[in-house]
C-alpha cells in the first residue's frame, strides 16, 4: 500500500499529530471501526476523562487486532467529545497512543448517546 500525508502549502498547517489529508493507493483492505465507547468488556465505565479515553483507544486497538491490523494502519480518526474542556487531555492521550502516525482527523464537540460517556472515537484503517 502507498500512503501519503498531505498538508497543502496554501492551507493551515495541522496542529497536533494529524495530517490535513491522507492519500492511500494500492491497498488491499479497509476496515471501518464503529464509534468505540468508554465501556470495558465487563460493561463498566471508568470515572474521569483520562481513564475513559485510554479505554476507548484500547477498544480501538482490540478491533484493529481482530482485523489483523495495527494502529499504524489508521488513516482517519473522528473523535466526539462531550465537552471542549477535554480537548487538551484528548490530544495528549491520542498522541500517546498514535505516536508518529498522523492520520486525517476530526474532533467534534457534541452530546453523546450515554451521558456517562465523555467521548467516542471512530476510525478507518487501511493496509
Amino acid at each position: 500500500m502507498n500512503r501519503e500525508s498531505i498538508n497543502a502549502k496554501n492551507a493551515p498547517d495541522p496542529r497536533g499529530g494529524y495530517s490535513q489529508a491522507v492519500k492511500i493507493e494500492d491497498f488491499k483492505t479497509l476496515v471501518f471501526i464503529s464509534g468505540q465507547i468508554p465501556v470495558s468488556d465487563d460493561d463498566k465505565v471508568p470515572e474521569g476523562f483520562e481513564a475513559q479515553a485510554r479505554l476507548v483507544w484500547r477498544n480501538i486497538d482490540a478491533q484493529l487486532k481482530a482485523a489483523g491490523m495495527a494502529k499504524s494502519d489508521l488513516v482517519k480518526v473522528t473523535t466526539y467529545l462531550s465537552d471542549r474542556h477535554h480537548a487538551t487531555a484528548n490530544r495528549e492521550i491520542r498522541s500517546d497512543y498514535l505516536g508518529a502516525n498522523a492520520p486525517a482527523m476530526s474532533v467534534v464537540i457534541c452530546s453523546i448517546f450515554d451521558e456517562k460517556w465523555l467521548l467516542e472515537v471512530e476510525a478507518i484503517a487501511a493496509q
Side-chain angles (χ1 to χ4, degrees):
M1 176 182 86
N2 295 321
R3 174 186 178 135
E4 177 185 356
S5 291
I6 298 172
N7 297 297
K9 300 285 187 218
N10 58 343
D13 286 334
R15 296 180 182 147
Y18 67 94
S19 299
Q20 293 289 22
V22 175
K23 179 180 174 181
I24 56 172
E25 296 178 318
D26 303 322
F27 60 90
K28 294 180 192 176
T29 305
L30 279 178
V31 173
F32 296 83
I33 300 172
S34 294
Q36 296 298 293
I37 56 176
V39 177
S40 63
D41 57 358
D42 60 355
D43 207 33
K44 293 193 173 27
V45 177
E47 292 292 323
F49 183 82
E50 182 174 341
Q52 287 195 17
R54 293 193 187 284
L55 177 56
V56 164
W57 286 108
R58 281 194 303 273
N59 290 343
I60 288 171
D61 211 40
Q63 301 306 328
L64 288 166
K65 286 179 182 172
M69 297 180 130
K71 62 186 175 181
S72 59
D73 297 316
L74 290 170
V75 295
K76 174 68 169 103
V77 172
T78 304
T79 301
Y80 301 92
L81 296 177
S82 66
D83 190 312
R84 72 181 67 255
H85 293 100
H86 300 307
T88 300
N90 176 64
R91 185 178 318 118
E92 290 170 0
I93 293 164
R94 182 187 65 228
S95 293
D96 284 348
Y97 174 77
L98 291 175
N101 188 12
M105 191 171 306
S106 298
V107 177
V108 180
I109 311 300
C110 62
S111 293
I112 298 179
F113 183 78
D114 187 316
E115 64 185 19
K116 292 181 283 191
W117 305 343
L118 302 176
L119 77 160
E120 183 171 340
V121 179
E122 64 184 23
I124 301 171
Q127 274 185 339

